[in-house]
Amino acid sequence: MHLSPDDIIFWQYGFLKLNATIVYTWGLMFALAVGSTLVTRNLSTGLQRSRWQNLLEIGVTTINKQIGEVGLRQPDKYLGFLGTLFLFVATASLFTIIPGYEPPTGSLSTTAGLAICVFVAVPLFGIQESGLGEYLRAYLKPTVIMLPFNVISEISRTLALAVRLFGNMMSGTMILAILLTIMPFIFPIAMSALGLLTGMVQAYIFSILAAVYIAAATRARKLKSEPEQHIDA
């Protein structure tokens, strides 16, 4: 067992490498794209609905509710991004039941890519919600002195997201590898089940943290609009 999919090289020519991280990441994205197409191709708007559609609607409703509880007023706007993050991390862990598969989230490059997606999405949603000027002024609050600290905060939490997800996924793989070396016939099934559970928990936490960061970025418009609504009343 490899501790990181980066160690598995399928093809190499000079400095160009095609490792398991790249192959499994693209394979996972292809599986998610095909799966979403198959699941949503026969959706019904009538009273008669299939069990699969009912299950799908329960999942979407649950994710929407979780996004709303974080503090985002229009969960549907963020469902596509946050739901995709959750499904990617969760499915990456779920596929570990396939022999020979290594989750791409076990590589720091993958977790860094996911964290960068959050890093880019936070200001985009913030600007969309409150406008460019209001969003940039939030970096100067409560005083101009806080500007460098707010910028450092944006960068540091992105690094924390990447390292946190990578560390938790890597630790589970490392523990499983050690136990398989010591007692290879007792722990594999139990540890694989624990790895699946850990992966689902990490998918949930990563998505919730992304939602919290987006909610913080869009909070400026909410605070600004509340006095206007009070005056109109």
Side-chain angles (χ1 to χ4, degrees):
M1 174 179 290
H2 298 83
L3 295 181
S4 174
D6 292 337
D7 300 332
I8 306 175
I9 307 298
F10 293 119
W11 175 83
Q12 182 174 358
Y13 182 77
F15 65 91
L16 298 176
K17 294 181 181 181
L18 183 63
N19 55 29
T21 300
I22 300 174
V23 173
Y24 292 148
T25 298
W26 281 95
L28 181 58
M29 290 190 297
F30 178 77
L32 289 174
V34 172
S36 63
T37 302
L38 294 176
V39 169
T40 59
R41 63 176 179 173
N42 293 321
L43 296 180
S44 173
T45 57
L47 297 178
Q48 297 295 330
R49 302 180 183 182
S50 64
R51 295 180 178 178
W52 285 109
Q53 182 172 344
N54 289 332
L55 181 61
L56 176 63
E57 291 181 357
I58 291 174
V60 172
T61 302
T62 302
I63 295 176
N64 256 349
K65 183 179 179 181
Q66 289 293 318
I67 296 174
E69 290 179 351
V70 169
L72 294 170
R73 294 178 298 168
Q74 299 176 343
D76 292 338
K77 182 189 298 186
Y78 314 99
L79 177 62
F81 176 70
L82 296 174
T84 301
L85 284 180
F86 174 79
L87 288 177
F88 182 88
V89 179
T91 307
S93 300
L94 184 62
F95 279 4
T96 54
I97 60 176
I98 301 176
Y101 172 84
E102 297 286 342
T105 48
S107 169
L108 184 58
S109 59
T110 303
T111 58
L114 294 173
I116 291 174
C117 289
V118 177
F119 178 76
V120 174
V122 168
L124 288 180
F125 283 121
I127 294 171
Q128 182 182 11
E129 184 72 15
S130 59
L132 179 59
E134 186 66 29
Y135 178 79
L136 293 179
R137 278 193 293 271
Y139 285 94
L140 305 177
K141 297 178 179 179
T143 63
V144 180
I145 301 176
M146 294 302 297
L147 174 61
F149 298 102
N150 288 329
V151 173
I152 293 174
S153 174
E154 293 280 346
I155 299 174
S156 63
R157 71 185 186 187
T158 301
L159 295 175
L161 270 180
V163 174
R164 184 185 185 284
L165 180 60
F166 168 74
N168 287 325
M169 301 303 294
M170 173 62 75
S171 62
T173 303
M174 185 176 297
I175 292 174
L176 178 59
I178 294 174
L179 291 178
L180 286 176
T181 303
I182 299 175
M183 305 185 71
F185 301 107
I186 298 178
F187 289 100
I189 297 178
M191 289 304 301
S192 296
L194 180 60
L196 290 177
L197 177 61
T198 301
M200 295 301 171
V201 171
Q202 294 308 315
Y204 174 78
I205 294 176
F206 189 88
S207 303
I208 289 296
L209 287 176
V212 169
Y213 296 155
I214 294 174
T218 58
R219 186 169 177 262
R221 180 178 178 86
K222 181 178 180 181
L223 293 176
K224 183 180 178 181
S225 62
E226 285 179 353
E228 297 175 357
Q229 295 175 0
H230 178 72
I231 293 174
D232 294 338

